Amino acid sequence: MYMAYGWPQVIPLEQGPCPSQKHIIYLKVTNRLFLVVSPSHLELWSSSQHKVRLGKYKRNAESLEREGENIQAVWSPDTKLIAILTSSFFLHIFKVQFSDKRIQIGGKQPSGLFLANVSLLLSEHVPFADKDLTVSNFVSDNKHLLLGLSNGSLYSISWKGEFYGAFELDPSSCDSSDASISPHSLGNGAASGRAPADSVSNHNTTSKSSIVRLELCLLKRLLFVLYSDGQLISCSISKKGLKQTEYIKAENKLGSGDAVCISVASDQQILAVGTRRGAVKLYDLAESASLIRTVSLYDWGYSMDDTGPVSCIAWTPDNSAFAVGWKLRGLTVWSVSGCRLMSTIRQIGLSSVSSPKFKPNQDFKYEPLMNGTSLMQWDEYGYRLYVIEEGSLERVIAFSFGKCCLSRGVSGMTYVCQVIYGEDRLLVVQSEDTDELKFLHLNLPVSYISQNWPVQHVAASKDGMHLAVAGLHGLILYDIQLKKWRVFGDITQEQKIQCKGLLWLGKIVVVCNYIDSSNTYELLFYPRYHLDQSSLLCRKPLLAKPMVMDAYQDHILVTYRPFDVHIFHARLLGELSPSSTPDLQLSTVRELSIMTAKSHPIAMRFIPEQLQRELASNNHISSSDSLDRDPARCLILRTNGELSILDLDDGREKELTDSVELFWVTCGQSGEKTSLIEEISWLDYGHRGMQVWYPSPGADPFMQEDFLQLDPELEFDREAYPLGLLPNAGVVICVSQRMSFSACTEFPCFEPSSQAQTILHCLLRHLLQRDKKEEALRLAQLSAEKPHFSHCLEWLLFTVFDAEISRYY
């Protein structure tokens, strides 16, 4: 989950001679650098903590007159070469070399930034057969470039400046895939049982249609070709990339014939297609390019007349969200499930009958990107979205984003503490009063973050009172109650740690450390009261890079690729205090190697043994040795959104549901005497909204119940994203975007806003439906003093009456 915060940063660009085309032609962010190419020159900037121009190349007036202005550009994957095509079809290839001249930013420590020298390597005229061609963008691999032409052909060039000539595709041999609709196909999260009216196309694409856009996905070995008439074709390429053009074959026709831009999420295997009507359609490349859902601003009162067609789409580095820019106005960021996370377009209100068009004489401050969005790119960490406004040559606008700890990968996160982390800070929800939730901006110590920028991993302890934060090297700890940071006393020890994941094991922080010299991984166990080599409790070498990790009580789960699960038991000898010398022993209690064709896990969580004991008790099974048993089950969330439960005894896996973005295991986790959610096993969130799961004493111990089916009015707003739970209040904490305008700033300030969504009436009805009257009464007594309790009773009464009435109609 991504949420914008703060004021956008403006990065000024140099101005060249007055060009004929009033827009930036290329923007690319990679390897802590970003490249901007204008019609007359290029600039290379650092995209790290300090935004500094490192190098540039300005063409002179004679070169512009003879060879024309820059019209297309591409940066090689290794960032060493830049290829630019001019309007007179000259190919310029530039070489980027970094000098020994270090840039001094300020302070005692060096910045790590060096000046770059950009030099022209070659300039050759491209021998196109037709001189009246127009061209698409470049795509490239490490050795070759590909360019689309207006006559429907593709042109191949090497990075050495060798021209291999044009070749044509045969779109008529493609299979049509747009009629296939995913069973969970949605429009902005609303269920759809059939294809939209515009999903049928005759696909009258001919080889003479102009190619206007190319998109390359090397991971899937796919090339997407977009034609000027809106037709979209996927092509297969060889294992050697773009070198063997004879193996580039047209395979499938996608979309509904109104595509104007495309972007691929390689990890999620999702294709995003922007349309002329301003909507974005998501297709599942793993399921024969079936339509997943369509998102647009229509439900927020904006139509194509306000925004124009989609101009660009950019996926976040982890493929969990995507930004959409429009030709006439603004940009918006959506989650994969269709939750609107951020928008530069002012929110007028969902009840507006007419479209809230902008009027120049309106008395409010400047809205970002009022002239439309031309280009945009996320940095490699997802903390910044770099945007070029339509018709702008003088600046780049950078929006700052924070990411939510979604309990994915190798860093654990408790749902009790809601944290959004930015590149150099934490935004922590202060939840003492659920009526007025606020974000606390917690800046990291300058002494740490200046040398270890950016923040890469964050994990909260089980009680939510301690945070572990890791940057490029080392880690620091924060005590929320005492408001104090704990750092390594020895900076040489700190710099030896490259943290790739964080977990909490009670009062012990577990670090997944990468050892650069040996290319190996290990687990380091530090007590939270002292970060030093002398206090290291245990060092555990790992077999390979871990894919996901989890910890519960004294057990640790580590999963390697392709799907090897190892479970360790931790035993602490001695008292964990500064006055003693405790020792931690780690033993392997279980190893599973599972053969499966499913997608890789992105999260795995133990199901606490408490639930297993309750199930055993309900089924009258002896559980005298349950306290000594190792965890028997865990939940698995895969990259494709599939949620399943894994039996750790026999390795059997049972699929539970799909299209899940995140989940929280709640049973046996809170440790609160006043927990109001102890009846719940876990909750998940996806395009259906929130779903709750309860244990069942029957043959199938896990039974799913959907909040949306039980309580239609409980559906979250589509701009509110769930961050976590407050067990003692029975509420879900959600976050949404707000904008505040000031008379002294050009742009508004983006402010994450938290809100509480009660689920008490769902829990009460669940207990009553199962004839658990005593438990329901106890829950009501525990929550009677909560400010939203009367509201919950009203909803409970309403839903019961509504269910009874609907039985007769």
Side-chain angles (χ1 to χ4, degrees):
M1 189 282 296
Y2 291 75
M3 190 63 58
Y5 69 90
W7 286 272
Q9 180 183 8
V10 174
I11 302 172
L13 301 176
E14 283 199 10
Q15 297 301 296
C18 185
S20 60
Q21 46 181 343
K22 303 285 186 180
H23 65 272
I24 301 294
I25 67 167
Y26 187 73
L27 172 68
K28 180 68 175 180
V29 187
T30 185
N31 198 26
R32 293 198 175 196
L33 302 168
F34 75 85
L35 173 68
V36 182
V37 182
S38 74
S40 62
H41 72 285
L42 63 88
E43 298 184 31
L44 185 65
W45 288 69
S46 71
S47 63
S48 58
Q49 188 176 15
H50 304 286
K51 309 300 182 288
V52 181
R53 185 170 56 221
L54 305 177
K56 63 181 180 179
Y57 187 95
K58 299 187 74 171
R59 296 174 57 198
N60 57 38
E62 180 183 352
S63 172
L64 291 170
E65 179 69 25
R66 183 179 69 255
E67 299 174 343
E69 296 176 349
N70 304 330
I71 59 171
Q72 294 293 347
V74 68
W75 203 359
S76 64
D78 60 8
T79 69
K80 295 180 179 179
L81 298 173
I82 302 169
I84 296 179
L85 184 69
T86 70
S87 57
S88 297
F89 298 143
F90 278 85
L91 178 69
H92 295 169
I93 295 183
F94 298 88
K95 187 176 183 179
V96 180
Q97 287 182 305
F98 287 93
S99 68
D100 295 330
K101 296 180 180 179
R102 186 187 297 269
I103 299 175
Q104 191 67 31
I105 303 298
K108 298 180 180 179
Q109 297 295 330
S111 66
L113 299 176
F114 297 87
L115 291 175
N117 179 38
V118 183
S119 57
L120 182 63
L121 204 59
L122 66 87
S123 176
E124 294 285 345
H125 188 267
V126 184
F128 290 136
D130 187 351
K131 303 303 179 185
D132 297 325
L133 291 170
T134 58
V135 297
S136 75
N137 63 303
F138 282 108
V139 291
S140 73
D141 56 19
N142 288 318
K143 294 185 178 181
H144 293 83
L145 316 168
L146 210 58
L147 192 67
L149 306 181
S150 55
N151 62 7
S153 61
L154 297 170
Y155 199 91
S156 178
I157 306 171
S158 76
W159 276 106
K160 297 179 179 179
E162 301 166 325
F163 304 111
Y164 295 112
F167 64 97
E168 293 194 1
L169 300 171
D170 183 15
S172 61
S173 63
C174 297
D175 295 328
S176 177
S177 299
D178 67 289
S180 176
I181 307 298
S182 172
H184 50 265
S185 172
L186 301 172
N188 277 357
S192 172
R194 59 185 179 85
D198 59 79
S199 65
V200 181
S201 171
N202 54 15
H203 292 292
N204 290 326
T205 304
T206 67
S207 60
K208 298 301 180 183
S209 298
S210 174
I211 296 177
V212 295
R213 185 73 189 174
L214 299 176
E215 182 79 10
L216 181 63
C217 180
L218 289 173
L219 186 64
K220 294 286 292 181
R221 299 210 302 271
L222 288 174
L223 173 68
F224 296 92
V225 181
L226 178 61
Y227 292 87
S228 56
D229 59 0
Q231 304 299 331
L232 177 61
I233 291 175
S234 66
C235 306
S236 58
I237 62 176
S238 74
K239 295 181 180 179
K240 296 183 178 181
L242 301 176
K243 178 180 180 179
Q244 298 174 315
T245 57
E246 66 272 17
Y247 289 104
I248 300 178
K249 302 293 183 182
E251 299 288 347
N252 295 298
K253 296 178 182 178
L254 308 171
S256 53
D258 62 345
V260 290
C261 69
I262 48 178
S263 183
V264 179
S266 301
D267 294 338
Q268 294 275 15
Q269 299 187 38
I270 296 176
L271 173 67
V273 179
T275 67
R276 293 190 181 99
R277 287 184 280 276
V280 176
K281 298 181 178 181
L282 303 181
Y283 294 90
D284 189 348
L285 297 178
E287 295 291 338
S288 303
S290 58
L291 179 64
I292 302 174
R293 66 184 56 88
T294 302
V295 296
S296 72
L297 288 178
Y298 180 79
D299 290 338
W300 283 268
Y302 291 92
S303 67
M304 176 190 169
D305 295 334
D306 304 302
T307 63
V310 177
S311 60
C312 49
I313 302 172
W315 286 91
T316 57
D318 62 0
N319 293 172
S320 66
F322 58 97
V324 179
W326 287 275
K327 185 74 173 177
L328 301 182
R329 182 183 178 186
L331 71 84
T332 294
V333 178
W334 267 290
S335 71
V336 174
S337 63
C339 180
R340 196 191 69 168
L341 304 175
M342 172 267 194
S343 182
T344 63
I345 302 176
R346 287 172 60 90
Q347 180 66 58
I348 305 299
L350 299 182
S351 60
S352 301
V353 177
S354 60
S355 180
K357 297 181 181 179
F358 172 75
K359 298 178 181 178
N361 60 353
Q362 283 180 320
D363 187 21
F364 57 76
K365 290 301 293 179
Y366 188 78
E367 178 182 292
L369 307 171
M370 268 304 305
N371 295 322
T373 305
S374 174
L375 299 167
M376 59 185 175
Q377 277 267 307
W378 294 90
D379 70 6
E380 58 263 51
Y381 303 106
Y383 290 127
R384 295 276 178 144
L385 178 61
Y386 294 87
V387 183
I388 303 291
E389 190 168 10
E390 189 70 38
S392 173
L393 286 169
E394 65 274 3
R395 65 185 185 180
V396 178
I397 303 174
F399 295 88
S400 298
F401 280 81
K403 298 187 284 188
C404 175
C405 305
L406 294 181
S407 299
R408 291 188 172 187
V410 290
S411 290
M413 189 67 195
T414 175
Y415 59 82
V416 177
C417 182
Q418 297 84 41
V419 180
I420 295 176
Y421 59 98
E423 58 185 353
D424 59 358
R425 71 193 65 197
L426 305 179
L427 282 70
V428 184
V429 176
Q430 293 181 299
S431 55
E432 290 84 2
D433 183 5
T434 55
D435 283 342
E436 190 177 358
L437 298 171
K438 295 181 179 179
F439 272 104
L440 170 66
H441 282 249
L442 191 62
N443 291 309
L444 271 64
V446 176
S447 59
Y448 176 79
I449 197 62
S450 61
Q451 299 305 308
N452 299 292
W453 181 94
V455 174
Q456 300 204 28
H457 299 279
V458 179
S461 60
K462 182 180 178 181
D463 60 4
M465 290 294 102
H466 295 82
L467 299 175
V469 184
L472 193 63
H473 294 94
L475 73 148
I476 54 178
L477 306 178
Y478 184 72
D479 189 316
I480 292 180
Q481 286 183 325
L482 299 180
K483 299 181 180 180
K484 289 186 177 181
W485 289 98
R486 187 177 300 278
V487 301
F488 272 91
D490 188 343
I491 194 171
T492 58
Q493 294 183 20
E494 176 185 270
Q495 294 302 303
K496 290 180 181 179
I497 295 177
Q498 294 188 50
C499 179
K500 301 301 179 182
L502 287 170
L503 293 172
W504 282 92
L505 196 68
K507 298 179 181 180
I508 301 171
V509 61
V510 185
V511 183
C512 177
N513 181 40
Y514 171 66
I515 306 172
D516 202 0
S517 58
S518 59
N519 191 28
T520 57
Y521 294 82
E522 63 180 359
L523 295 182
L524 304 177
F525 295 78
Y526 289 98
R528 74 183 185 198
Y529 58 76
H530 195 205
L531 291 178
D532 191 85
Q533 183 68 26
S534 61
S535 298
L536 184 66
L537 300 173
C538 180
R539 185 190 299 269
K540 173 66 176 180
L542 298 179
L543 299 179
K545 179 180 180 180
M547 185 165 47
V548 294
M549 298 197 318
D550 185 35
Y552 177 71
Q553 292 182 346
D554 52 2
H555 287 84
I556 298 175
L557 178 147
V558 179
T559 302
Y560 309 102
R561 287 182 182 269
F563 197 7
D564 295 332
V565 181
H566 288 214
I567 299 176
F568 303 103
H569 179 265
R571 183 186 178 192
L572 184 66
L573 302 177
E575 183 185 359
L576 193 65
S577 68
S579 59
S580 62
T581 55
D583 181 39
L584 186 75
Q585 294 181 350
L586 211 63
S587 58
T588 303
V589 296
R590 193 161 303 171
E591 293 183 6
L592 291 174
S593 185
I594 302 173
M595 301 296 293
T596 178
K598 295 182 178 182
S599 58
H600 293 296
I602 55 174
M604 295 177 67
R605 293 290 174 261
F606 283 124
I607 298 176
E609 200 63 25
Q610 174 185 347
L611 177 61
Q612 304 299 326
R613 289 197 298 268
E614 290 176 357
L615 293 173
S617 175
N618 289 336
N619 287 286
H620 306 289
I621 298 174
S622 174
S623 56
S624 58
D625 60 340
S626 60
L627 291 174
D628 300 326
R629 285 195 58 194
D630 300 321
R633 299 185 182 185
C634 70
L635 283 179
I636 303 175
L637 178 62
R638 300 185 180 275
T639 54
N640 62 353
E642 177 186 301
L643 184 67
S644 58
I645 187 168
L646 175 67
D647 190 313
L648 295 172
D649 289 326
D650 56 21
R652 288 186 300 177
E653 185 178 348
K654 176 184 177 182
E655 182 178 347
L656 300 174
T657 186
D658 57 11
S659 300
V660 173
E661 276 194 42
L662 63 94
F663 68 93
W664 305 300
V665 176
T666 56
C667 54
Q669 294 277 359
S670 66
E672 300 259 1
K673 292 183 179 179
T674 59
S675 174
L676 305 182
I677 60 171
E678 61 183 16
E679 284 289 327
I680 299 176
S681 302
W682 58 81
L683 299 100
D684 69 59
Y685 173 79
H687 74 81
R688 303 178 185 91
M690 188 71 73
Q691 296 184 119
V692 63
W693 297 73
Y694 300 101
S696 171
D700 185 0
F702 298 100
M703 179 175 60
Q704 175 192 21
E705 293 190 11
D706 193 338
F707 275 169
L708 301 185
Q709 293 173 357
L710 296 174
D711 297 278
E713 301 300 327
L714 188 61
E715 181 181 2
F716 295 156
D717 294 335
R718 281 173 306 206
E719 60 268 14
Y721 197 93
L723 286 182
L725 299 165
L726 294 182
N728 61 342
V731 298
V732 176
I733 303 297
C734 299
V735 62
S736 58
Q737 174 211 284
R738 296 291 182 267
M739 286 192 293
S740 62
F741 291 80
S742 171
C744 59
T745 58
E746 177 185 3
F747 295 131
C749 178
F750 290 85
E751 301 175 346
S753 174
S754 55
Q755 62 188 58
Q757 176 92 34
T758 180
I759 59 173
L760 275 177
H761 57 291
C762 294
L763 306 180
L764 289 171
R765 190 181 51 237
H766 160 73
L767 294 173
L768 292 174
Q769 286 176 338
R770 283 149 187 79
D771 201 26
K772 295 184 177 182
K773 298 176 182 179
E774 293 183 4
E775 290 87 345
L777 179 60
R778 189 175 74 88
L779 178 60
Q781 291 171 340
L782 286 172
S783 54
E785 301 299 323
K786 306 300 179 184
H788 49 264
F789 181 64
S790 59
H791 177 68
C792 291
L793 292 184
E794 291 175 3
W795 271 116
L796 177 62
L797 188 62
F798 169 79
T799 51
V800 170
F801 282 153
D802 185 63
E804 286 297 317
I805 294 173
S806 59
R807 290 172 57 187
Y808 300 98
Y809 295 95

